[in-house]
Amino acid sequence: MKYLYHPNSVLTVSDLETLALDLLSEIPIPGVEAAAFDSGIIRQTLLQAAVDQKSIKAVTDTTRGTYSDDYTLAQLHTVPPAELEAIANRLLCQQAAMILGPVPRIICLDFVDIHYHGCPHAGPGVICHTKPRDGTSQCHRYLAGFILCRAKPLVVAVTPVRGDEPKSDAVERVLDHVAALPFDVAGVLADRGFYDGTSIERLDAVALVDLPVVRRGKQMAEKLNTTVSYWMST
């Protein structure tokens, strides 16, 4: 991978921009490329929006040499979601292979909510709901798997989470991505968002799982297997 840096090198701002655009170039944008327009402009717009934490419209309204926000979003929506997820996780896997050694690693899992004020593009099921912030409870949710490398989180797997699916389905997908990583999983750390029977069972099949205790009275007994089939005494 020509665009990945050497671990001992120092990256400049220009290097980071080149690296990010090289990674984004791996993702095809069928609509704009079929129309013979410059897909690089759309990737540059997307990168600027991500770095500045702005909307596509905010970037196109204030930056010369960009396409309109409607056209940019229309072309981004031509990227098949399943293909986008597969490419992103392949790049994360390749990056992990370059940066990390082959020793077993502990995977941390976390649900990431990005609050959203707009309308869902592909139906209401894509939007999740969480605690209100900035005037909205709507959010786009992602499940990320990361490891701590030099006290910094390094994302190694990711999957989007729909609002109309159980969290255990997202756990299943991200663990499929984790299985492709170039090292063994020594353990899994997860927060209380994973505290349901199906997710725990799926995580436990991969490696040792560390979950926080949720103190909810009778609900605790329902989460834990407290049934005694027989007693033995010596």
Side-chain angles (χ1 to χ4, degrees):
M1 297 176 69
K2 64 183 184 303
Y3 42 74
L4 286 182
Y5 56 91
H6 188 279
N8 294 326
S9 63
V10 177
L11 293 178
T12 65
V13 173
S14 178
D15 291 335
L16 286 173
E17 181 178 7
T18 300
L19 172 62
L21 289 174
D22 282 347
L23 290 169
L24 287 174
S25 69
E26 295 285 328
I27 302 173
I29 307 177
V32 66
E33 291 165 355
F37 285 93
D38 187 356
S39 59
I41 293 177
I42 291 181
R43 293 189 180 91
Q44 182 73 52
T45 301
L46 180 62
L47 177 62
Q48 185 174 340
V51 172
D52 294 342
Q53 296 185 1
K54 295 180 178 179
S55 66
I56 295 294
K57 179 175 174 53
V59 173
T60 57
D61 285 350
T62 58
T63 307
R64 292 183 177 180
T66 62
Y67 298 127
S68 70
D69 60 307
D70 288 340
Y71 181 79
T72 299
L73 289 170
Q75 301 313 312
L76 290 174
H77 287 142
T78 66
V79 183
E83 182 177 354
L84 175 60
E85 180 176 347
I87 292 174
N89 280 279
R90 174 174 57 82
L91 293 173
L92 292 173
C93 182
Q94 293 174 346
Q95 179 175 265
M98 171 166 282
I99 297 176
L100 305 171
V103 299
R105 300 280 180 170
I106 294 176
I107 301 291
C108 304
L109 298 180
D110 192 24
F111 287 106
V112 180
D113 292 342
I114 300 177
H115 283 73
Y116 179 65
H117 289 83
C119 298
H121 170 71
V126 301
I127 297 295
C128 296
H129 293 273
T130 185
K131 293 180 179 180
R133 192 181 72 187
D134 298 332
T136 182
S137 63
Q138 292 189 146
C139 69
H140 288 293
R141 179 170 294 157
Y142 300 88
L143 174 54
F146 63 94
I147 67 169
L148 293 178
C149 180
R150 297 182 180 180
K152 300 291 184 180
L154 176 67
V155 177
V156 293
V158 67
T159 189
V161 183
R162 293 179 59 91
D164 57 0
E165 69 172 345
K167 289 183 177 181
S168 57
D169 287 356
V171 171
E172 187 82 24
R173 290 195 303 272
V174 85
L175 290 180
D176 287 342
H177 297 315
V178 167
L181 294 172
F183 49 78
D184 293 331
V185 179
V188 179
L189 297 180
D191 63 15
R192 64 182 58 214
F194 298 85
Y195 206 78
D196 70 82
T198 305
S199 294
I200 293 173
E201 182 179 356
R202 184 63 182 91
L203 293 169
D204 191 52
V206 174
L208 294 175
V209 182
D210 189 358
L211 284 166
V213 173
V214 179
R215 301 185 182 279
R216 293 178 180 173
K218 292 183 179 180
Q219 292 185 22
M220 173 66 74
E222 297 175 0
K223 299 295 184 181
L224 302 176
N225 181 11
T226 57
T227 302
V228 178
S229 57
Y230 62 89
W231 292 92
M232 294 183 64
S233 62
T234 58

